[in-house]
């Protein structure tokens, strides 16, 4: 991770825009907020709660120190999506914990994560898989 620009960039492949943060805590908080709004099944929800819930900064720092990046896959809308956390900038700048900016596509619009439907805040963990 030498010569890496400061900060961290997070994204949910084909769901959010890559977004850069000056530190890891707000990056993971924003990623977790956004994941909470997705129609994940129970197993996926619990797996990502481990990665991005309480204690996430320490766990992610260990992954980044060992592997240089954290990449996790999950199924949504019939396809595998990639969640990524990488050191350095390069995405949209964001300072505080808030939902990540969604990609402008009909597929993402169908998820209704913009506050007009299911999204906006955490959803029940007793939901069906998409």
């Amino acid at each position: 991770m030498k010569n890496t620009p400061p900060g961290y960039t997070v994204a949910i492949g084909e769901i959010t825009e890559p977004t850069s943060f000056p530190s890891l805590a707000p990056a993971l908080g924003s990623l977790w907020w956004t994941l909470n709004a997705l129609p994940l099944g129970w197993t996926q929800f619990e797996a990502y709660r481990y990665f991005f819930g309480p204690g996430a900064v320490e766990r992610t720092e260990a992954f980044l120190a060992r592997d240089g990046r954290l990449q996790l896959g999950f199924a949504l809308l019939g396809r595998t999506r990639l969640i990524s956390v990488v050191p350095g900038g390069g995405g949209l700048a964001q300072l505080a914990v808030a939902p990540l900016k969604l990609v402008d596509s009909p597929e993402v619009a169908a998820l209704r994560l913009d506050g007009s439907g299911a999204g906006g805040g955490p959803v029940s963990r007793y939901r069906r898989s998409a």
Side-chain angles (χ1 to χ4, degrees):
M1 294 189 335
K2 291 181 179 181
N3 300 322
T4 301
Y8 299 88
T9 299
V10 298
I12 303 171
E14 300 176 14
I15 302 292
T16 70
E17 298 288 344
T19 306
S20 297
F21 295 83
S23 62
L24 194 53
L28 297 178
S30 294
L31 187 57
W32 181 228
W33 188 337
T34 305
L35 283 167
N36 264 321
L38 296 175
L40 301 177
W42 172 255
T43 303
Q44 290 184 136
F45 177 85
E46 286 299 311
Y48 292 110
R49 183 170 64 145
Y50 169 79
F51 281 104
F52 302 117
V57 171
E58 294 79 16
R59 281 189 295 279
T60 302
E61 285 174 339
F63 276 96
L64 294 174
R66 186 186 66 228
D67 299 333
R69 65 181 44 231
L70 174 61
Q71 293 185 312
L72 305 165
F74 72 102
L76 182 65
L77 300 173
R79 296 191 3 225
T80 300
R81 311 297 174 146
L82 187 63
I83 298 167
S84 63
V85 179
V86 296
L92 301 170
Q94 188 167 314
L95 298 175
V97 176
L100 301 174
K101 184 175 184 332
L102 300 174
V103 171
D104 185 17
S105 74
E107 186 177 54
V108 172
L111 292 173
R112 300 178 58 89
L113 297 175
D114 60 3
S116 64
V123 279
S124 169
R125 39 186 188 172
Y126 300 104
R127 56 194 175 253
R128 293 188 327 216
S129 184

